[in-house]
Amino acid sequence: MRTFQVMMLTLCLLGGAYLLLHAPVFFMPDRWDPSVGREFSPLASRVLGGGLLSMAALALIFLRHHYYSATRRLPGPAMQRVYFGLVMLAITLVTLAFNLADPQPNPEHRGSRETPTLPQ
């Protein structure tokens, strides 16, 4: 489980830093209908990168308090407020990024083609 957590932390750090620094324009297809999706502008990419970096900060706090401390106990009220603030920041930034991204048809979608049946 720790391997998975460290892998997700690394992906959030690298992906968030890349999106925040380079701000690429990219298209994300919809999960259920790949013919439509969202076009992320540089601003939406940067906001999404900030959300990923705040999730990475959450993971670092969690790992520090639960795995890499001498005593494994719940953090105090101040750290719980910081954790809650980071959770709300991550949710807000990711939601804002998806709201800033423009919904549009997928430029690479070819549609479904039915195979022609041969006459008998």
Side-chain angles (χ1 to χ4, degrees), residues 2-3 7 11 19 30 32 52 57 70 72-73 86 92 98-100 104 111 114:
R2 281 190 212 173
T3 305
M7 184 180 72
L11 287 174
L19 288 173
D30 188 36
W32 304 113
L52 287 174
R72 293 183 184 176
R73 57 185 166 86
L86 283 172
T92 302
F98 275 91
N99 285 334
L100 287 174
Q104 62 183 14
E114 294 184 16

Side-chain angles (χ1 to χ4, degrees), residues 51-95:
L52 287 174
L53 287 177
S54 58
M55 281 192 253
L58 289 169
L60 285 172
I61 292 171
F62 176 79
L63 289 174
R64 188 183 79 185
H65 282 286
H66 290 284
Y67 288 115
Y68 301 113
S69 64
T71 59
R72 293 183 184 176
R73 57 185 166 86
L74 289 175
M79 186 51 70
Q80 289 182 9
R81 286 187 196 102
V82 168
Y83 194 81
F84 178 75
L86 283 172
V87 167
M88 295 308 295
L89 179 67
I91 290 171
T92 302
L93 287 176
V94 170
T95 303

Side-chain angles (χ1 to χ4, degrees), residues 12-24 26 41-54 93:
C12 281
L13 276 174
L14 293 177
Y18 177 76
L19 288 173
L20 198 63
L21 295 175
H22 294 286
F26 67 94
S41 65
L43 175 64
S45 291
R46 285 196 169 113
V47 172
L48 186 61
L52 287 174
L53 287 177
S54 58
L93 287 176

Side-chain angles (χ1 to χ4, degrees), residues 98-117:
F98 275 91
N99 285 334
L100 287 174
D102 295 326
Q104 62 183 14
N106 188 346
E108 297 179 358
H109 186 70
R110 299 171 194 250
S112 61
R113 296 182 187 173
E114 294 184 16
T115 56
T117 57

